[in-house]
Amino acid sequence: MAARCACQKQAGKYLLKWFMPCAGRKAGPLINAIVTQQGAIFDVRQFVIPERCQTVANIRSRLFRLETSMKQHLFLPLLTYPDATSEFMIANAVALAHHMQATLTVCAMEITIPDVSNALSSLIIDAGKMARDAGALSRKRASALTRMAVDAAKAACVDVRTREIKTAEPFVVEVLSEASRAYDLVLLEAAGISRPIVEAVLFASGRPLILYPSAPFGGRMDHVAIAWDGSCAAARAAHDASFFLERASKVRLLSVIDEKPVKYETGDYLVENLLRSGVKAEATRVRAHGEPVGEVLQTKAFELRADLLVMGGFGHSRLREFVLGGATQAVLTNISLPILISH
C-alpha cells in the first residue's frame, strides 16, 4: 500500500508539473482524482504533451486511452548464421521496449546445415566438417546473443522472455515468419544478408515490423512521419503505428506529389482526426524530381528530425521471389532511420 501511495504521489507531481501550465488551476483536482482513482498504473513520463494547450477534457481522454491500452509485445529474432545480429540492434530493441513499456521476446535462431557431401566432393572439400562447424558457430552465437540481450534488458528494467528455434538453413524464412505472428511488432536489422528474412516477415507474417539501420538509436519515437499516398497499404501502416501516433508530440504526413497521382483528401481527413485526438499533425508535400521515392521520403523525414518513418510495403510473391514496389525496394536497399513498414 505504501509503495502504491508513493507511486500515486510521484505521478501526481509529474502531472501537475506538466499539465497545470496548459490546463489551468482547475486541472489540479482532476489530476489528483485521476491519480487516486486509477492507482497511477501508467507511467506519466511517457506521456508527451503537444505544444498547444490541452483542455481538461482532452487530458482526461488521452490519459484514459494511454492507461487502458493493451501492453505491447515485441519480437526480436537473433540471427546467428551466416552473419549475426549486431549489438546495435539488441540495444535498439531494448531501448524501444523500455520506451513502450512492452515485453521483449528475444528468439535465437539456431541453424543446422544439411550435410550434402558425397564420396567425390569429399576428395575436394570436407563439406560435412564445414556443415558441422557452421552449426557449432550458430549455437555459440545463439547462446552469446541471448545472454547479451537478457543482460541489457534486465539493466533497463525491461520484461524480457527468451525463445529458441532450431531449424535447417533452407527453412529459416518460413519458420521465422510463422513465429512472428504471435507478436504486435517485429524488430529487424536492415543488414544485407538478412534481406530475404525481412521480405518474408513483411509479406508472410501478417505483422508490422520496424526496420533499423546498423547504428544506435534512442528508444523514443516522439516525432513520427507517415509516407502517405492514399493507398490501402499506407492506411494499414498508419493504423499499425497507432501506438506511436497517440504518443507523438508531432506527426507529419509526407506525400510525394510528382511521382504518381495522389489523393490528398483522405490524408487531410487523417490529419483532421489526429488533431481531434489531441495529436499535433500536419501534411507536407514534396517533389521527387526523378529521384527514387523511398530515398526522397527518408531524406525528408530525416530533415524534419523524425524519429520514425511509417510506410506501407508494396509487393507480392512470384515463384517464391518477392517482386517489390519502388519505394519498398529503395527502403529495403538503403535505410537511414528506423522505419515501421506494414503490408
Side-chain angles (χ1 to χ4, degrees):
M1 178 63 71
R4 177 172 176 176
C5 291
C7 179
Q8 292 175 353
K9 184 177 180 180
Q10 184 71 4
K13 182 173 72 173
Y14 277 110
L15 288 166
L16 287 168
K17 175 182 177 181
W18 287 347
F19 293 160
M20 284 295 285
C22 289
R25 290 188 175 184
K26 290 184 179 180
L30 169 63
I31 292 165
N32 289 332
I34 293 174
V35 172
T36 302
Q37 294 174 13
Q38 305 301 331
I41 61 174
F42 54 88
D43 183 355
V44 296
R45 288 165 293 181
Q46 301 295 332
F47 186 84
V48 179
I49 302 299
E51 294 174 2
R52 68 181 183 283
C53 284
Q54 294 288 323
T55 63
V56 172
N58 259 350
I59 294 171
R60 189 204 308 268
S61 173
R62 295 195 73 191
L63 280 173
F64 179 78
R65 184 169 66 250
L66 293 178
E67 180 187 353
T68 56
S69 59
M70 291 179 63
K71 193 176 187 69
Q72 297 286 298
H73 303 281
L74 311 185
F75 184 58
L76 173 64
L78 298 175
L79 306 182
T80 61
Y81 184 85
D83 289 340
T85 298
S86 72
E87 294 183 24
F88 288 142
M89 187 62 228
I90 292 175
N92 288 333
V94 170
L96 182 64
H98 178 75
H99 169 62
M100 296 177 66
Q101 296 189 350
T103 66
L104 175 64
T105 297
V106 294
C107 180
M109 301 295 298
E110 188 176 314
I111 307 302
T112 58
I113 309 296
D115 183 357
V116 294
S117 61
N118 54 44
L120 178 60
S121 65
S122 297
L123 297 175
I124 305 172
I125 187 173
D126 191 345
K129 182 179 185 303
M130 292 179 65
R132 291 191 296 274
D133 289 347
L137 177 61
S138 177
R139 288 192 297 274
K140 181 179 179 180
R141 286 175 171 174
S143 176
L145 290 172
T146 299
R147 185 168 58 252
M148 182 188 303
V150 169
D151 290 346
K154 288 183 177 178
C157 299
V158 168
D159 182 4
V160 63
R161 290 89 186 275
T162 60
R163 284 184 62 179
E164 184 180 87
I165 294 179
K166 298 181 180 181
T167 185
E169 196 275 335
F171 306 110
V172 173
V173 292
E174 290 87 351
V175 170
L176 192 51
S177 295
E178 182 178 351
S180 300
R181 293 170 189 158
Y183 301 90
D184 296 302
L185 198 57
V186 185
L187 311 179
L188 286 171
E189 189 171 20
I193 200 68
S194 65
R195 171 74 176 269
I197 293 174
V198 171
E199 293 180 0
V201 171
L202 173 60
F203 294 109
S205 72
R207 309 308 302 155
L209 64 92
I210 292 186
L211 200 58
Y212 280 89
S214 297
F217 287 86
R220 292 193 69 86
M221 301 293 187
D222 189 43
H223 183 184
V224 180
I226 302 174
W228 186 262
D229 61 0
S231 66
C232 295
R236 177 75 258 174
H239 180 272
D240 287 339
S242 293
F243 181 94
F244 301 103
L245 301 183
E246 291 173 358
R247 290 156 176 80
S249 64
K250 185 180 294 184
V251 174
R252 297 283 192 113
L253 256 69
L254 303 181
S255 296
V256 177
I257 61 176
D258 60 349
E259 190 260 343
K260 65 180 180 181
V262 175
K263 296 181 179 179
Y264 301 114
E265 187 178 30
T266 52
D268 292 338
Y269 280 120
L270 177 57
V271 169
E272 181 181 335
N273 289 336
L274 289 170
L275 290 171
R276 287 179 175 177
S277 298
V279 177
K280 184 177 181 181
E282 61 181 278
T284 300
R285 294 166 187 172
V286 298
R287 294 185 179 275
H289 299 295
E291 296 296 322
V293 175
E295 294 181 12
V296 172
L297 291 168
Q298 289 190 74
T299 299
K300 189 62 179 180
F302 193 81
E303 289 176 0
L304 294 172
R305 302 179 68 85
D307 303 304
L308 178 70
L309 175 62
V310 176
M311 65 179 295
F314 292 89
H316 61 276
S317 178
R318 181 191 298 166
L319 298 178
R320 300 177 64 83
E321 294 293 331
F322 289 102
V323 180
L324 305 179
T328 307
Q329 176 77 31
V331 164
L332 297 187
T333 301
N334 184 27
I335 180 173
S336 58
L337 77 164
I339 297 179
L340 187 152
I341 186 167
S342 175
H343 175 68

